[in-house]
Amino acid sequence: MFKKDGGEVKESDKAQHELIAKKYIEQLAGMLAFYARINNITSPDASLTIDEYCKDLAWGGLMSTKAY
């Protein structure tokens, strides 16, 4: 990954996770929920809808980011 000025990002894993958090969480959660619905998968947590559960899953790998 590179900065807008062309410089290399030193901690690219953190930068990549920030980008995922900003741009892709909603899409990831939506695709997980879509997959769950077409395969008749329900939320294992009765207090959460499948949409909420899938959003939690999408955020799961990003808990150590600033965006979380």
Side-chain angles (χ1 to χ4, degrees):
M1 289 192 61
F2 296 91
K3 298 177 184 177
K4 288 183 181 181
D5 67 5
E8 188 176 351
V9 174
K10 299 293 183 203
E11 296 180 1
S12 63
D13 59 332
K14 289 182 182 178
Q16 289 169 347
H17 288 141
E18 297 295 326
L19 180 65
I20 291 167
K22 289 178 184 175
K23 293 196 169 204
Y24 300 113
I25 287 295
E26 294 299 324
Q27 291 87 351
L28 288 168
M31 292 306 296
L32 288 170
F34 175 75
Y35 178 85
R37 283 192 186 89
I38 65 172
N39 288 286
N40 296 317
I41 298 169
T42 59
S43 174
D45 184 337
S47 68
L48 298 173
T49 66
I50 193 63
D51 292 307
E52 293 167 328
Y53 184 77
C54 289
K55 192 165 188 178
D56 287 350
L57 283 176
W59 275 107
L62 301 170
M63 292 193 307
S64 62
T65 67
K66 291 179 186 176
Y68 186 79

XYZ file of all heavy atoms in Angstrom:
533
model
N 0.839 -1.174 0.000
C 0.000 0.000 0.000
C 0.883 1.236 0.000
O 1.958 1.249 0.568
C -0.922 0.004 1.212
C -2.012 -1.033 1.117
S -3.315 -0.841 2.365
C -3.943 0.759 1.964
N 0.345 2.257 -0.656
C 1.087 3.497 -0.768
C 0.222 4.672 -0.364
O -1.000 4.652 -0.534
C 1.580 3.683 -2.208
C 2.565 2.632 -2.627
C 2.148 1.464 -3.232
C 3.912 2.804 -2.388
C 3.054 0.488 -3.603
C 4.834 1.831 -2.754
C 4.404 0.666 -3.367
N 0.845 5.713 0.138
C 0.152 6.948 0.491
C -0.190 7.703 -0.790
O 0.337 7.400 -1.862
C 1.051 7.808 1.374
C 1.417 7.171 2.697
C 2.358 8.075 3.455
C 2.809 7.401 4.745
N 3.783 8.233 5.465
N -1.042 8.705 -0.686
C -1.428 9.503 -1.852
C -0.221 10.163 -2.509
O -0.191 10.362 -3.711
C -2.461 10.551 -1.464
C -3.822 9.970 -1.182
C -4.831 11.045 -0.873
C -6.179 10.425 -0.582
N -7.203 11.431 -0.292
N 0.794 10.497 -1.709
C 1.987 11.145 -2.263
C 2.967 10.147 -2.876
O 4.021 10.515 -3.360
C 2.694 11.997 -1.208
C 3.298 11.163 -0.069
O 3.257 9.917 -0.129
O 3.821 11.785 0.870
N 2.630 8.859 -2.856
C 3.467 7.830 -3.445
C 4.376 7.129 -2.464
O 4.994 6.124 -2.797
N 4.472 7.647 -1.235
C 5.301 7.011 -0.224
C 4.694 5.710 0.255
O 3.488 5.535 0.271
N 5.571 4.791 0.638
C 5.109 3.487 1.113
C 4.570 3.578 2.532
O 5.118 4.282 3.372
C 6.264 2.489 1.080
C 5.831 1.076 1.367
C 6.965 0.076 1.236
O 8.048 0.446 0.762
O 6.758 -1.085 1.625
N 3.486 2.866 2.788
C 2.920 2.790 4.134
C 3.746 1.774 4.914
O 3.894 0.634 4.489
C 1.432 2.371 4.086
C 0.883 2.160 5.479
C 0.614 3.390 3.324
N 4.305 2.193 6.037
C 5.199 1.321 6.817
C 4.465 0.149 7.453
O 4.919 -0.964 7.428
C 5.927 2.128 7.904
C 6.798 3.215 7.338
C 7.967 2.654 6.576
C 8.851 3.781 6.089
N 9.661 3.462 4.971
N 3.344 0.398 8.051
C 2.570 -0.665 8.694
C 1.363 -0.971 7.810
O 0.233 -0.630 8.120
C 2.134 -0.231 10.087
C 3.303 -0.013 11.021
C 2.871 0.427 12.406
O 1.650 0.554 12.664
O 3.750 0.660 13.234
N 1.624 -1.634 6.688
C 0.572 -1.830 5.697
C -0.577 -2.685 6.213
O -1.712 -2.497 5.778
C 1.142 -2.438 4.422
O 1.669 -3.722 4.673
N -0.317 -3.617 7.136
C -1.422 -4.437 7.633
C -2.449 -3.574 8.355
O -3.650 -3.751 8.189
C -0.932 -5.573 8.522
C -0.163 -5.118 9.749
O 0.466 -4.031 9.702
O -0.194 -5.834 10.751
N -1.985 -2.607 9.142
C -2.915 -1.715 9.830
C -3.661 -0.849 8.824
O -4.872 -0.653 8.932
C -2.185 -0.851 10.844
C -1.704 -1.610 12.041
C -1.036 -0.708 13.050
C -0.511 -1.525 14.223
N 0.179 -0.680 15.194
N -2.944 -0.337 7.835
C -3.570 0.509 6.825
C -4.606 -0.282 6.025
O -5.688 0.225 5.716
C -2.510 1.098 5.901
N -4.289 -1.522 5.697
C -5.237 -2.354 4.954
C -6.496 -2.614 5.773
O -7.608 -2.561 5.252
C -4.575 -3.673 4.557
C -3.532 -3.504 3.493
C -2.710 -4.753 3.291
O -2.727 -5.685 4.086
N -1.960 -4.779 2.200
N -6.324 -2.873 7.054
C -7.489 -3.114 7.911
C -8.333 -1.852 8.048
O -9.568 -1.925 8.076
C -7.049 -3.630 9.281
C -6.552 -5.030 9.236
N -5.487 -5.467 9.970
C -6.980 -6.099 8.530
C -5.282 -6.750 9.713
N -6.172 -7.148 8.842
N -7.706 -0.700 8.113
C -8.459 0.558 8.173
C -9.273 0.744 6.894
O -10.429 1.154 6.938
C -7.517 1.748 8.370
C -6.738 1.735 9.665
C -7.607 1.872 10.901
O -8.636 2.571 10.845
O -7.257 1.275 11.932
N -8.666 0.447 5.758
C -9.362 0.568 4.474
C -10.548 -0.389 4.409
O -11.642 -0.012 3.985
C -8.396 0.287 3.331
C -8.978 0.364 1.915
C -9.419 1.790 1.609
C -7.974 -0.117 0.900
N -10.351 -1.615 4.846
C -11.444 -2.594 4.870
C -12.580 -2.079 5.748
O -13.747 -2.141 5.372
C -10.949 -3.961 5.367
C -10.018 -4.591 4.329
C -12.113 -4.901 5.673
C -9.238 -5.794 4.838
N -12.225 -1.561 6.917
C -13.248 -1.060 7.841
C -14.036 0.089 7.228
O -15.253 0.165 7.376
C -12.593 -0.614 9.147
N -13.366 0.967 6.525
C -14.031 2.144 5.952
C -14.862 1.821 4.723
O -15.920 2.398 4.510
C -12.994 3.201 5.576
C -12.365 3.869 6.757
C -11.315 4.876 6.315
C -10.626 5.478 7.516
N -9.524 6.368 7.127
N -14.379 0.893 3.896
C -15.011 0.704 2.586
C -15.810 -0.582 2.411
O -16.686 -0.641 1.563
C -13.957 0.775 1.488
C -13.345 2.138 1.344
C -12.619 2.243 0.042
C -12.258 3.695 -0.201
N -12.085 3.980 -1.598
N -15.485 -1.617 3.167
C -16.029 -2.924 2.814
C -16.878 -3.632 3.859
O -17.448 -4.683 3.574
C -14.895 -3.851 2.382
C -14.136 -3.320 1.191
C -12.817 -2.912 1.315
C -14.746 -3.198 -0.047
C -12.116 -2.403 0.224
C -14.062 -2.689 -1.132
C -12.746 -2.295 -0.994
O -12.070 -1.791 -2.062
N -16.973 -3.113 5.054
C -17.733 -3.807 6.106
C -19.181 -4.050 5.694
O -19.693 -5.167 5.839
C -17.678 -3.042 7.443
C -16.299 -3.192 8.057
C -18.754 -3.522 8.420
C -15.932 -4.601 8.470
N -19.844 -3.037 5.192
C -21.258 -3.200 4.825
C -21.425 -4.256 3.735
O -22.332 -5.094 3.808
C -21.853 -1.866 4.375
C -21.940 -0.831 5.469
C -22.815 -1.243 6.640
O -23.842 -1.923 6.443
O -22.451 -0.890 7.777
N -20.549 -4.247 2.729
C -20.637 -5.232 1.652
C -20.333 -6.636 2.152
O -21.015 -7.597 1.772
C -19.671 -4.862 0.509
C -20.081 -3.625 -0.234
C -19.546 -2.342 0.395
O -18.994 -2.339 1.490
N -19.713 -1.234 -0.296
N -19.314 -6.776 2.979
C -18.990 -8.090 3.540
C -20.148 -8.642 4.367
O -20.537 -9.806 4.213
C -17.736 -8.011 4.413
C -16.415 -7.820 3.692
C -15.316 -7.461 4.683
C -16.049 -9.060 2.915
N -20.682 -7.796 5.218
C -21.815 -8.226 6.054
C -23.017 -8.592 5.186
O -23.695 -9.593 5.450
C -22.180 -7.126 7.041
N -23.264 -7.804 4.161
C -24.389 -8.077 3.266
C -24.249 -9.402 2.539
O -25.214 -10.161 2.399
N -23.041 -9.706 2.081
C -22.822 -10.977 1.383
C -22.928 -12.165 2.334
O -23.454 -13.214 1.961
C -21.470 -10.968 0.668
C -21.423 -10.004 -0.504
S -22.737 -10.219 -1.719
C -22.406 -11.843 -2.344
N -22.434 -12.000 3.555
C -22.586 -13.069 4.544
C -24.064 -13.332 4.838
O -24.499 -14.485 4.911
C -21.852 -12.716 5.837
C -20.336 -12.760 5.793
C -19.750 -12.139 7.062
C -19.845 -14.189 5.625
N -24.833 -12.258 4.992
C -26.271 -12.406 5.269
C -26.987 -13.038 4.077
O -27.863 -13.891 4.245
C -26.872 -11.057 5.622
N -26.613 -12.630 2.874
C -27.195 -13.210 1.661
C -26.929 -14.713 1.612
O -27.834 -15.515 1.379
C -26.622 -12.513 0.419
C -27.065 -13.114 -0.875
C -28.344 -12.895 -1.348
C -26.201 -13.914 -1.610
C -28.765 -13.461 -2.556
C -26.604 -14.479 -2.805
C -27.886 -14.257 -3.277
N -25.679 -15.092 1.841
C -25.309 -16.501 1.866
C -26.114 -17.257 2.923
O -26.614 -18.360 2.669
C -23.813 -16.651 2.135
C -23.361 -18.081 2.224
C -23.039 -18.786 1.072
C -23.282 -18.735 3.449
C -22.639 -20.111 1.148
C -22.884 -20.059 3.533
C -22.564 -20.740 2.377
O -22.185 -22.063 2.454
N -26.235 -16.659 4.089
C -26.987 -17.304 5.172
C -28.438 -17.530 4.763
O -28.986 -18.613 4.985
C -26.914 -16.455 6.438
N -29.035 -16.519 4.162
C -30.458 -16.644 3.780
C -30.681 -17.714 2.718
O -31.623 -18.495 2.819
C -30.981 -15.303 3.298
C -31.275 -14.352 4.419
C -32.064 -13.126 3.932
N -32.168 -12.207 5.030
C -31.281 -11.243 5.310
N -30.235 -11.068 4.529
N -31.447 -10.464 6.339
N -29.829 -17.734 1.686
C -30.066 -18.719 0.616
C -29.756 -20.141 1.072
O -30.174 -21.092 0.417
C -29.313 -18.378 -0.690
C -27.813 -18.437 -0.495
C -29.757 -17.037 -1.233
C -27.019 -18.305 -1.792
N -29.059 -20.268 2.181
C -28.749 -21.589 2.725
C -29.519 -21.883 4.007
O -29.180 -22.816 4.737
C -27.246 -21.711 2.961
C -26.496 -21.812 1.662
O -26.530 -22.851 1.015
N -25.857 -20.735 1.242
N -30.549 -21.081 4.264
C -31.411 -21.261 5.438
C -30.629 -21.310 6.749
O -30.932 -22.105 7.640
C -32.277 -22.511 5.291
C -33.240 -22.387 4.142
O -33.856 -21.346 3.948
N -33.360 -23.439 3.353
N -29.619 -20.459 6.854
C -28.821 -20.366 8.076
C -29.387 -19.226 8.915
O -29.617 -18.134 8.411
C -27.339 -20.101 7.751
C -26.767 -21.264 6.932
C -26.535 -19.870 9.019
C -25.402 -21.004 6.342
N -29.629 -19.498 10.174
C -30.158 -18.469 11.069
C -29.082 -18.046 12.061
O -28.075 -18.724 12.242
C -31.392 -18.987 11.836
O -31.005 -20.141 12.576
C -32.527 -19.336 10.876
N -29.315 -16.949 12.706
C -28.366 -16.452 13.694
C -28.272 -17.430 14.860
O -29.300 -17.846 15.401
C -28.812 -15.080 14.207
O -27.986 -14.645 15.256
N -27.065 -17.785 15.271
C -26.932 -18.676 16.426
C -27.215 -17.965 17.743
O -27.318 -18.605 18.785
C -25.473 -19.127 16.356
C -24.784 -18.056 15.617
C -25.782 -17.483 14.662
N -27.362 -16.652 17.677
C -27.657 -15.838 18.856
C -29.084 -15.308 18.711
O -29.355 -14.463 17.860
C -26.662 -14.684 18.954
C -26.835 -13.841 20.203
O -27.936 -13.839 20.795
O -25.866 -13.161 20.575
N -29.982 -15.790 19.523
C -31.398 -15.428 19.411
C -31.651 -13.932 19.613
O -32.678 -13.418 19.177
C -32.220 -16.231 20.413
N -30.704 -13.237 20.227
C -30.897 -11.798 20.457
C -30.470 -10.946 19.256
O -30.652 -9.737 19.258
C -30.133 -11.347 21.701
O -28.734 -11.412 21.476
N -29.897 -11.589 18.216
C -29.440 -10.869 17.031
C -30.122 -11.391 15.776
O -30.296 -12.597 15.618
C -27.925 -11.040 16.849
C -27.008 -10.504 17.934
C -25.570 -10.929 17.658
C -27.105 -8.993 18.021
N -30.459 -10.475 14.882
C -30.945 -10.900 13.571
C -29.755 -11.437 12.784
O -28.601 -11.214 13.150
C -31.563 -9.724 12.794
O -30.525 -8.776 12.495
C -32.692 -9.061 13.568
N -30.026 -12.116 11.690
C -28.928 -12.625 10.875
C -28.105 -11.465 10.320
O -26.880 -11.555 10.201
C -29.419 -13.581 9.765
C -28.236 -14.347 9.148
C -30.217 -12.842 8.707
C -27.496 -15.248 10.086
N -28.743 -10.341 10.010
C -28.008 -9.169 9.529
C -27.048 -8.634 10.592
O -25.895 -8.321 10.296
C -28.966 -8.061 9.093
C -29.756 -8.437 7.853
O -29.129 -8.817 6.846
O -30.998 -8.360 7.896
N -27.534 -8.541 11.823
C -26.678 -8.067 12.919
C -25.524 -9.030 13.175
O -24.385 -8.608 13.376
C -27.508 -7.885 14.194
C -28.534 -6.772 14.107
C -29.554 -6.817 15.246
O -29.881 -7.926 15.732
O -30.001 -5.741 15.641
N -25.842 -10.304 13.174
C -24.820 -11.314 13.417
C -23.739 -11.268 12.337
O -22.545 -11.326 12.632
C -25.458 -12.705 13.485
C -24.469 -13.784 13.822
C -24.024 -13.940 15.127
C -23.960 -14.621 12.848
C -23.097 -14.922 15.457
C -23.035 -15.603 13.157
C -22.605 -15.747 14.457
O -21.684 -16.710 14.779
N -24.152 -11.139 11.084
C -23.194 -11.090 9.980
C -22.342 -9.822 10.029
O -21.157 -9.858 9.698
C -23.923 -11.210 8.644
S -24.570 -12.880 8.371
N -22.930 -8.729 10.461
C -22.139 -7.503 10.609
C -21.095 -7.684 11.713
O -19.947 -7.265 11.567
C -23.039 -6.311 10.897
C -22.310 -4.997 10.763
C -23.269 -3.843 10.684
C -22.514 -2.570 10.357
N -23.409 -1.437 10.224
N -21.485 -8.330 12.791
C -20.532 -8.632 13.866
C -19.397 -9.522 13.347
O -18.232 -9.323 13.704
C -21.224 -9.303 15.040
C -22.089 -8.353 15.845
O -22.023 -7.129 15.617
O -22.837 -8.848 16.714
N -19.735 -10.496 12.515
C -18.706 -11.365 11.938
C -17.742 -10.559 11.063
O -16.529 -10.760 11.116
C -19.339 -12.466 11.086
C -19.969 -13.637 11.799
C -20.639 -14.566 10.787
C -18.944 -14.396 12.603
N -18.301 -9.663 10.258
C -17.466 -8.846 9.379
C -16.502 -7.977 10.179
O -15.355 -7.774 9.780
C -18.345 -7.987 8.474
N -16.952 -7.463 11.303
C -16.095 -6.645 12.163
C -15.114 -7.486 12.971
O -14.108 -6.976 13.478
C -16.930 -5.809 13.131
C -17.406 -4.526 12.536
C -18.683 -4.231 12.151
C -16.633 -3.355 12.267
N -18.741 -2.951 11.656
C -17.495 -2.401 11.720
C -15.287 -3.039 12.426
C -17.053 -1.136 11.325
C -14.851 -1.779 12.043
C -15.738 -0.852 11.498
N -15.366 -8.761 13.121
C -14.586 -9.618 13.993
C -13.086 -9.546 13.813
O -12.339 -9.529 14.779
N -12.626 -9.513 12.583
C -11.196 -9.466 12.337
C -10.592 -8.077 12.425
O -9.397 -7.909 12.227
N -11.421 -7.094 12.700
C -10.950 -5.712 12.700
C -11.000 -5.070 14.066
O -10.889 -3.846 14.201
C -11.779 -4.888 11.705
C -11.732 -5.387 10.266
C -12.760 -4.659 9.430
C -10.351 -5.245 9.688
N -11.143 -5.860 15.105
C -11.307 -5.304 16.447
C -10.110 -4.480 16.910
O -10.267 -3.581 17.705
C -11.618 -6.397 17.460
C -12.990 -7.005 17.242
S -13.605 -8.037 18.572
C -12.302 -9.196 18.839
N -8.933 -4.758 16.404
C -7.758 -4.014 16.859
C -7.484 -2.760 16.022
O -6.490 -2.095 16.222
C -6.526 -4.924 16.825
O -6.269 -5.347 15.511
N -8.386 -2.438 15.098
C -8.192 -1.246 14.280
C -8.765 -0.007 14.953
O -9.622 -0.100 15.833
C -8.854 -1.399 12.898
O -10.268 -1.458 13.075
C -8.377 -2.644 12.184
N -8.330 1.144 14.501
C -8.865 2.402 15.017
C -10.332 2.559 14.649
O -11.098 3.165 15.374
C -8.077 3.570 14.457
C -6.672 3.660 14.971
C -5.949 4.842 14.345
C -4.497 4.835 14.741
N -3.757 5.924 14.079
N -10.717 2.019 13.499
C -12.101 2.169 13.027
C -13.103 1.417 13.893
O -14.260 1.778 13.956
C -12.203 1.681 11.587
N -12.650 0.368 14.584
C -13.536 -0.432 15.405
C -14.002 0.401 16.575
O -15.076 0.479 16.979
C -12.834 -1.689 15.901
C -13.746 -2.644 16.635
C -14.576 -3.477 15.939
C -13.745 -2.701 18.018
C -15.407 -4.359 16.618
C -14.581 -3.593 18.702
C -15.407 -4.413 17.982
O -16.227 -5.279 18.644
